Amino acid sequence: MAAERRPPRGYALLPALAYQALGQRSMAAVWVGVSLALIGLAGWRGHPGLWLGVGLWGLGTIYDAWRRLSGRRPRLWPATLAALAVLYAVGWEVTEIDLRAPFVRFEKMRPYLVALTQPDLLTYPTERQVLRIPVEVPCRSAPQPVTVREGVEARLSAGCAQAGDALTLEGEGFPPGVPLELWWVNPIGERQRILQGGRPLSVQADGAGRFRVAFLAPRAVPPGFEPPPGQSQTHFLEIHTVRVIGGPRPSEALLEVAEKMGETVAIALLATTFAVLIAAPLSFLAARNLMGGSLPTRLIYYGMRAFFNIVRSVEPLIFGIVFVVWVGLGSFAGMLALMVHSIAALGKLFSEVVEHIDPGPVEALTATGATRLQVIRYAVVPQVVPEFISFAVYRWDINVRMSTIIGFVGGGGIGFRLSEWIRLSAYRQVATAVIGIALVVMALDFVSAQVRRRIV
């Protein structure tokens, strides 16, 4: 019996040729594809270390090809490690990972962390007396002190400022020991507390009714809404004299979070319900085992699959932006965005459930001469309903979380209010919203898990 004739070992210098000579065409194609990709990445970034990785990949595959040509066991893992090193190095650089940033910029996060320990949950009914001091933003001339007298006297170190400027406020004639809150009001009437160290600044007048406090002028308008060069806006610094006149009660932020969370859950519920009603019948058209009988049904199958895949590839956030432009700001836009994405996601899942049913009942009914609709009604639907319900409940759980994000682009719900509080640096209200979101998501996750456990 003649010995098996092996290709020359010199082919190992070009691994693709060696793999091809050994009949391993897929390996040859993979080697060519990976080599071109690695060379392209190294040429793009231009780092010597990446070229070294490409060289190690080449040497590793030459070694593997030589072993295969010698009749030994393949050993591709060194080359694979070199290729992965190149891929991860490029990925690390492209994503601009900076491990020092969380520590260097920790001060930016401190107000949020502090606020999480002091959420705005309770408040006390109060009686307020408000004194307003106009502040020109930015300065169009040299800053001058401004004094306001309305029974009491308040003197601000500068009647004009811009965000970040240091200001000093002095007062006389205020009631001793009564808390004084400082608020900043922008030209459209939005208020925000003056903060110091991430906490709302609150002062008290001494026994003689005097106080003195320093603070920084906050950024009260979003970037892009500043006045044109040479013009200014009139803001107001408000001094609230606050007297407590009752016991504790839920704060406005807590009540608003409760209301908006209900709205968020409703958005997710309606979006999921409508999506199920549309996706369930469409899923039968995207099941290969039901639509593979003839050319027209196969075309419908491929069309539905393509529709589901295309729509699923678009993030709900993008749909949210589209529907906000289309139907306007509010919950309706958010509901439509989640519904469209859910139709595609559930349609894909439902069709896969249909494809994995037991074929026995289908074949039995088909053998009796039942129509296609009768087969679906009596052989398919009873098998898929429990998993359809399970996926629908799980999708509702997902949509509740997604509706929070949709709100950031104007899709209503808690996300819309949360984005406003973040923009206004209302950290305690942000903390209240975060806690509310976490509690609702945890509750729905528990309910979803229980429902799916009982059904499936």
Side-chain angles (χ1 to χ4, degrees):
M1 185 175 179
E4 182 183 357
R5 183 180 179 81
R6 289 184 172 277
R9 295 183 181 179
Y11 283 14
L13 294 175
L14 187 58
L17 180 61
Y19 297 141
Q20 183 73 23
L22 291 169
Q24 300 171 346
R25 295 179 180 176
S26 58
M27 277 294 300
V30 168
W31 185 88
V32 172
V34 172
S35 299
L36 291 177
L38 295 180
I39 291 172
L41 290 173
W44 172 37
R45 307 308 297 182
H47 289 179
L50 297 179
W51 285 112
L52 176 62
V54 175
L56 292 175
W57 156 259
L59 292 175
T61 52
I62 289 174
Y63 176 63
D64 176 70
W66 179 80
R67 289 181 63 90
R68 293 174 191 248
L69 292 170
S70 302
R72 301 183 182 181
R73 293 182 59 185
R75 184 161 294 174
L76 195 57
W77 65 264
T80 303
L81 288 179
L84 289 175
V86 172
L87 292 175
Y88 278 104
V90 173
W92 184 283
E93 189 177 65
V94 170
T95 52
E96 299 179 349
I97 293 177
D98 183 1
L99 297 179
R100 297 176 305 165
F103 303 98
V104 174
R105 299 173 60 85
F106 182 75
E107 288 299 322
K108 299 285 184 182
M109 193 62 193
R110 185 187 295 276
Y112 292 93
L113 297 178
V114 171
L116 282 175
T117 64
Q118 302 170 344
D120 186 10
L121 301 177
L122 298 176
T123 187
Y124 293 86
T126 57
E127 181 181 75
R128 292 173 180 261
Q129 292 179 336
V130 180
L131 182 66
R132 306 185 88 188
I133 303 175
V135 182
E136 188 181 25
V137 179
C139 291
R140 292 190 297 171
S141 58
Q144 298 294 329
V146 58
T147 302
V148 175
R149 297 183 182 88
E150 292 182 6
V152 296
E153 179 177 309
R155 184 173 184 272
L156 189 62
S157 58
C160 66
Q162 60 185 6
D165 284 354
L167 298 171
T168 301
L169 178 67
E170 297 177 86
E172 292 185 15
F174 285 83
V178 175
L180 303 174
E181 297 179 357
L182 302 185
W183 293 75
W184 193 276
V185 186
N186 68 14
I188 61 174
E190 291 180 331
R191 288 178 168 80
Q192 60 177 299
R193 285 288 297 271
I194 301 294
L195 303 178
Q196 191 171 65
R199 299 183 178 184
L201 180 58
S202 184
V203 295
Q204 289 184 346
D206 59 18
R210 296 191 181 92
F211 72 88
R212 176 186 174 89
V213 63
F215 62 92
L216 299 179
R219 178 176 293 280
V221 294
F225 289 86
E226 296 91 351
Q231 299 184 24
S232 63
Q233 299 171 331
T234 300
H235 295 223
F236 289 93
L237 173 67
E238 291 185 346
I239 306 171
H240 290 216
T241 303
V242 184
R243 289 186 174 86
V244 178
I245 57 175
R249 65 182 183 183
S251 67
E252 291 185 8
L254 179 59
L255 294 175
E256 189 164 6
V257 166
E259 177 189 350
K260 292 298 180 182
M261 283 310 304
E263 184 179 319
T264 300
V265 173
I267 291 172
L269 178 63
L270 290 178
T272 307
T273 303
F274 290 139
V276 169
L277 294 176
I278 298 172
L282 293 182
S283 66
F284 294 104
L285 303 178
R288 183 189 292 272
N289 54 340
L290 300 181
M291 303 299 291
S294 62
L295 179 60
T297 56
R298 283 202 298 273
L299 290 177
I300 294 173
Y301 162 77
Y302 287 118
M304 289 308 304
R305 282 285 178 159
F307 168 73
F308 288 154
N309 289 332
I310 291 172
V311 176
R312 279 193 320 123
S313 66
V314 181
E315 284 296 315
L317 198 62
I318 306 300
F319 282 124
I321 295 172
V322 171
F323 282 113
V324 164
V325 174
W326 190 353
V327 302
L329 290 169
S331 304
F332 184 45
M335 191 278 289
L336 289 175
L338 291 176
M339 182 191 73
V340 171
H341 193 269
S342 297
I343 289 173
L346 288 175
K348 177 78 162 43
L349 292 172
F350 287 174
S351 63
E352 292 181 354
V353 171
V354 175
E355 288 181 348
H356 290 86
I357 61 173
D358 181 4
V362 176
E363 293 171 356
L365 274 179
T366 303
T368 64
T371 64
R372 181 63 60 89
L373 287 178
Q374 289 173 327
V375 171
I376 293 174
R377 168 65 181 85
Y378 296 105
V380 178
V381 171
Q383 296 189 62
V384 300
V385 166
E387 293 200 54
F388 273 26
I389 295 174
S390 172
F391 280 126
V393 174
Y394 184 57
R395 186 67 198 182
W396 179 39
D397 182 12
I398 294 174
N399 281 344
V400 170
R401 283 173 274 174
M402 285 304 306
S403 59
T404 303
I405 305 301
I406 293 291
F408 275 76
V409 296
I414 188 65
F416 186 64
R417 199 72 186 96
L418 180 60
S419 66
E420 289 185 343
W421 282 333
I422 291 175
R423 184 170 58 81
L424 296 173
S425 301
Y427 300 122
R428 293 187 66 204
Q429 286 74 15
V430 170
T432 305
V434 170
I435 292 172
I437 293 170
L439 291 176
V440 170
V441 169
M442 289 169 60
L444 287 178
D445 183 64
F446 175 77
V447 172
S448 171
Q450 292 297 315
V451 170
R452 285 182 282 121
R453 186 174 64 84
R454 291 174 181 275
I455 292 177
V456 180

